[in-house]
Amino acid sequence: VISIRPVLGLPEIGEGDDLAELIAERGELEDGDVLVVAQKAVSKAEGRLVRLADVEPSERARELAGQEDARRHEVILRESARIVRSRPPLVISETRHGFVCASAGVDSSNAPERETVVLLPLDPDASAARLRERLRELTGAEVGVIVSDSFGRAWRQGTTDVAIGAAGVRPLLDLKGTRDRVGYELHATVIAIADELAGAAELVLGKTDGVPAAVIRGVDARGEGTASELVMPAERDLFR
Amino acid sequence: VISIRPVLGLPEIGEGDDLAELIAERGELEDGDVLVVAQKAVSKAEGRLVRLADVEPSERARELAGQEDARRHEVILRESARIVRSRPPLVISETRHGFVCASAGVDSSNAPERETVVLLPLDPDASAARLRERLRELTGAEVGVIVSDSFGRAWRQGTTDVAIGAAGVRPLLDLKGTRDRVGYELHATVIAIADELAGAAELVLGKTDGVPAAVIRGVDARGEGTASELVMPAERDLFR
C-alpha cells in the first residue's frame, strides 16, 4: 500500500528560504519516503525570478506573443534552446535541460508579485540533490527527492506532473529480462517511475492552495538516478 | 491523504470472465474509490485476442516489421487509423479511438499463450462503464473506474500509465477561473487527473506478477466524464 500525504502549513516561499528546513519541520519524513516538491517553490527559494519591467522584448518575441505581453515571450526565448512549435501566443520549446514543454517552463501564475515570472531551476537535479542532503542533515532520514512540474503532452489534453529533478530515486524501472507468466520477455518495458511519482503527488498538491510538497510512502524507488535520464536522447527520438 | 492498494489474488483472466465479480470479491470497494484496471485484463475478459497463426501479413506489414514477426505488424496495421511514425520494427500509430501509442496498443507480453497478441478494447470507455455498473450491482459501492495502459511519450524516456477508458470520474480538472495567491488567473491550467490516477496505480501494479488492478482512495475525482476527452482534438493539436 502506498500513501501520499500533502505537506501542510508551508508559508509562501521567498528567495533564500531554507526550503528543506521548512519541509523537515512539517513533513514527518522517514527513510525510504519520496518527497515531491513543486518546481515553483524550488525556483522561488533559488531566486529564479525575472521582473518584466527589466525586460526589453525583441522583434521575435513580439511575433511569438501575438496579443500577449511580449516581455514574457522574450524571457521564454532566453530560456529556450530551440522552439519546437508555436502558434501565437502558444510556444512549445526545448529548454537547455532538454525538456520539451510549454513556454520553456516560464510561468507567471503563483509568482510572488504581479509582473514577475518564475523560471525553471538552472539545474533541477542539483536542486533535488541539495534538498536531499539538507533533509538528511536535519532529519537523519534517507529520502528520495523529486522536483516536479506540470507538462502538457503531445496528442493528449491536460497536463500531468513529471519529474524535472531527482536525487536518491531510480527514475526509470527497466523490466528488460524479466519474464511474464507465459515466458515472453518484456523487452520494451521501461517505466518512468519518477514521472508517475510526480503525477501521483500532484493529486494532493493544491495549485492554488499553497501546498507545494507531498510525501509518498510505500514505494521502493531508491536509487541513484537523475531526472535528466528521463530526457529522450536525440538519436532515439522519433519526434524531434 | 491518498492511499493506493493493489487488488491481490486475482487469477489469470480469460475470455468471458466476470472481471467485476473477481475484483468485487477482493477489492473492498467503498463509495468514492477509484478502481484502476490494466487494459490487458479487460481485453482478455472481452476476448480481444488474435492468434498469429490466423494472420497473413501484407507487404506493408513486412516493411514495417523489419526483422520481426510481420504477422504482429499486420495486426498493428489493422488496429491503426494512421501511422504517425515508424522506424522498423518500431511503429507509433493513432488508433481508431484517437490514441497515439506504440504498436496501436497491440501487445504480446502477458498474452494467455504464445503466438497470441492482445488488442485494446473496442470501446474502453464502455468497458469502464460496464465494470462500474456491475460493481455497483455486486457491492453497492459507487466507484470510478479507469482502464489504464502504458504509453510512451514524445521527448521523454519510459512509459507512464494513462487512462484509455473511464467511467464515473472527471478526467480533466479545469482550474480556469480559479485564482492564485496574487490574483493571477490560472487560465491555462487543465490537469489530466485520470492520467495521473492511472500512473499512480501503476506504481502498485506488477507488470509480471499478475496484479492487474488497484484501488485509489482519498481522491475526489467523481464526475461523469470519459477517457475520450483526454484525446487532443485535431484542431488544437500542434503535433499532428
Side-chain angles (χ1 to χ4, degrees):
Chain A
V1 179
I2 294 175
S3 71
I4 311 173
R5 190 162 34 84
V7 179
L8 299 174
L10 286 165
E12 180 71 30
I13 307 299
E15 182 166 359
D17 282 352
D18 187 339
L19 188 54
E21 186 173 82
L22 294 170
I23 291 168
E25 289 165 353
R26 296 163 177 84
E28 300 169 29
L29 293 166
E30 292 180 6
D31 282 355
D33 285 351
V34 176
L35 173 73
V36 179
V37 188
Q39 160 269 324
K40 218 165 290 175
V42 174
S43 290
K44 286 187 208 168
E46 295 180 354
R48 293 282 291 157
L49 302 165
V50 172
R51 285 168 39 162
L52 293 180
D54 301 336
V55 176
E56 186 58 49
S58 61
E59 192 47 46
R60 178 88 176 110
R62 288 184 205 280
E63 286 165 21
L64 290 170
Q67 303 302 309
E68 295 203 352
D69 190 335
R71 298 173 304 173
R72 183 166 165 274
H73 280 74
E74 178 60 31
V75 179
I76 293 170
L77 278 174
R78 293 177 192 172
E79 290 291 301
S80 299
R82 70 182 174 105
I83 305 293
V84 177
R85 291 283 193 287
S86 67
R87 182 190 290 176
L90 187 60
V91 177
I92 312 285
S93 63
E94 182 177 325
T95 69
R96 281 182 303 268
H97 323 84
F99 303 132
V100 176
C101 58
S103 307
V106 174
D107 207 333
S108 40
S109 65
N110 283 317
E113 47 180 308
R114 284 175 180 283
E115 301 288 290
T116 301
V117 292
V118 184
L119 317 182
L120 295 186
L122 272 178
D123 182 345
D125 281 326
S127 305
R130 282 193 298 271
L131 282 169
R132 181 181 185 228
E133 186 55 45
R134 180 84 177 117
L135 286 166
R136 185 198 287 131
E137 207 173 281
L138 291 165
T139 69
E142 286 282 351
V143 302
V145 175
I146 288 172
V147 178
S148 71
D149 197 8
S150 303
F151 278 14
R153 295 89 48 84
W155 314 300
R156 289 183 79 77
Q157 298 260 40
T159 64
T160 58
D161 269 30
V162 297
I164 65 164
V169 301
R170 183 181 46 189
L172 293 161
L173 175 62
D174 191 343
L175 299 177
K176 186 160 50 191
T178 59
R179 282 170 189 281
D180 69 14
R181 279 177 169 171
V182 289
Y184 265 103
E185 196 179 355
L186 296 167
H187 63 286
T189 307
V190 178
I191 303 173
I193 314 183
D195 285 343
E196 291 185 331
L197 289 165
E202 198 284 320
L203 294 165
V204 306
L205 298 186
K207 277 283 173 291
T208 59
D209 305 331
V211 183
V215 178
I216 302 179
R217 188 163 295 167
V219 178
D220 182 15
R222 275 183 257 213
E224 290 305 325
T226 62
S228 62
E229 296 168 35
L230 292 161
V231 174
M232 184 77 82
E235 72 276 11
R236 288 198 54 216
D237 192 346
L238 296 182
F239 298 99
R240 286 183 71 87
Chain B
V1 177
I2 294 172
S3 70
I4 311 172
R5 190 162 36 82
V7 179
L8 300 175
L10 286 165
E12 180 73 30
I13 307 299
E15 183 167 359
D17 282 352
D18 187 340
L19 188 54
E21 186 174 83
L22 294 169
I23 291 169
E25 288 164 354
R26 297 163 176 85
E28 299 169 30
L29 293 167
E30 292 180 9
D31 282 353
D33 285 351
V34 177
L35 173 74
V36 179
V37 188
Q39 161 269 322
K40 216 164 292 175
V42 175
S43 290
K44 286 186 210 168
E46 295 180 353
R48 294 282 290 156
L49 302 165
V50 172
R51 285 167 42 161
L52 293 180
D54 301 335
V55 177
E56 186 59 48
S58 61
E59 191 48 45
R60 178 88 176 110
R62 287 183 205 280
E63 285 166 23
L64 290 169
Q67 303 302 309
E68 296 203 352
D69 190 334
R71 297 173 304 171
R72 184 165 163 274
H73 280 73
E74 177 60 32
V75 179
I76 293 170
L77 278 175
R78 293 176 191 172
E79 290 292 300
S80 300
R82 70 185 174 103
I83 304 295
V84 176
R85 291 281 191 288
S86 67
R87 183 191 289 176
L90 187 60
V91 176
I92 312 286
S93 62
E94 181 177 325
T95 68
R96 281 182 304 265
H97 326 82
F99 303 131
V100 176
C101 58
S103 307
V106 174
D107 207 333
S108 40
S109 66
N110 283 317
E113 45 181 309
R114 285 175 180 281
E115 299 290 290
T116 301
V117 292
V118 184
L119 315 182
L120 295 187
L122 271 179
D123 181 346
D125 282 326
S127 304
R130 282 193 298 270
L131 282 168
R132 181 181 184 227
E133 185 57 44
R134 179 87 177 115
L135 287 166
R136 186 198 286 131
E137 207 173 281
L138 291 164
T139 70
E142 285 281 352
V143 303
V145 174
I146 289 173
V147 177
S148 71
D149 197 10
S150 302
F151 277 16
R153 296 88 48 84
W155 315 301
R156 290 182 79 76
Q157 298 258 42
T159 63
T160 58
D161 269 30
V162 297
I164 64 164
V169 302
R170 184 180 47 190
L172 294 160
L173 175 61
D174 190 346
L175 299 176
K176 186 160 52 191
T178 59
R179 284 171 185 281
D180 67 13
R181 278 176 170 171
V182 291
Y184 265 101
E185 197 180 353
L186 297 167
H187 63 285
T189 308
V190 177
I191 304 173
I193 314 184
D195 285 343
E196 291 185 333
L197 288 164
E202 197 286 320
L203 294 165
V204 305
L205 298 186
K207 277 282 176 291
T208 58
D209 304 331
V211 183
V215 178
I216 302 180
R217 187 164 295 169
V219 178
D220 181 15
R222 275 182 255 214
E224 288 306 323
T226 62
S228 63
E229 295 168 36
L230 292 161
V231 175
M232 183 79 81
E235 72 276 10
R236 289 198 54 219
D237 192 346
L238 297 182
F239 297 99
R240 283 182 73 86

